[in-house]
Amino acid sequence: MVFQYDYSLVNLLAFVVGLAFLFNGYVIVRSERESLELFVMSLLIGTGLIVVALVPNVFQLVANVLGLELKARAILVISNLTLFVAVTYLLNRIGHMYDRLSRLNEELSLLRSELEEQRIDFEDRQDD
């Protein structure tokens, strides 16, 4: 039966980790540190973990919908897709951070050279 509930310590841990994802997403958006995409990702992962914790056999329904024989294959497919999306998003964020760091380094170099030029001009005026 698809909706037979058999809770264990794993279900409790999945529920707690799901709540942690939801709370983390809320804190990030509340502090306005990150983008909305990170909140949506945290929301989806947290909600998914909570659903799996409360309805342990939900993957049997997913397996039936996907036409898979075993619940384990459905778990594998969904977890791999979730990891693929998370890793792709994180690699994209890392690329943007490298670009921002490169631009900041260029701007810092320009500001240093401007400051050095102004310091030299100031010293020349002081000598006169």
Side-chain angles (χ1 to χ4, degrees):
M1 181 175 210
V2 173
F3 295 105
Q4 178 182 2
Y5 302 119
D6 49 350
Y7 296 110
S8 66
L9 181 61
V10 173
N11 296 88
L12 178 64
L13 289 174
F15 186 79
V16 169
V17 171
L19 287 177
F21 266 100
L22 292 178
F23 182 73
N24 186 45
Y26 171 76
V27 167
I28 286 172
V29 169
R30 177 128 171 124
S31 66
E32 298 176 6
R33 288 186 317 182
E34 291 290 335
S35 63
L36 186 61
E37 293 93 10
L38 188 58
F39 171 71
V40 170
M41 185 181 292
S42 295
L43 183 72
L44 289 175
I45 291 173
T47 303
L49 285 170
I50 289 172
V51 167
V52 169
L54 295 177
V55 186
N57 290 328
V58 72
F59 280 109
Q60 186 61 49
L61 181 65
V62 172
N64 292 340
V65 168
L66 295 177
L68 300 172
E69 298 171 12
L70 301 174
K71 179 171 72 170
R73 288 189 181 166
I75 293 170
L76 185 64
V77 167
I78 298 299
S79 63
N80 282 341
L81 289 175
T82 303
L83 286 174
F84 176 75
V85 169
V87 167
T88 302
Y89 173 76
L90 291 174
L91 289 174
N92 188 22
R93 295 284 299 179
I94 288 170
H96 286 296
M97 293 298 160
Y98 279 132
D99 289 343
R100 288 181 65 191
L101 181 63
S102 177
R103 275 187 265 127
L104 284 173
N105 282 331
E106 290 172 8
E107 290 176 7
L108 182 60
S109 296
L110 290 173
L111 287 173
R112 281 184 179 163
S113 66
E114 271 187 47
L115 181 62
E116 188 63 34
E117 287 176 13
Q118 289 179 358
R119 184 177 300 141
I120 291 171
D121 288 345
F122 181 73
E123 288 174 358
D124 285 345
R125 277 187 262 145
Q126 292 248 336
D127 289 343
D128 290 340

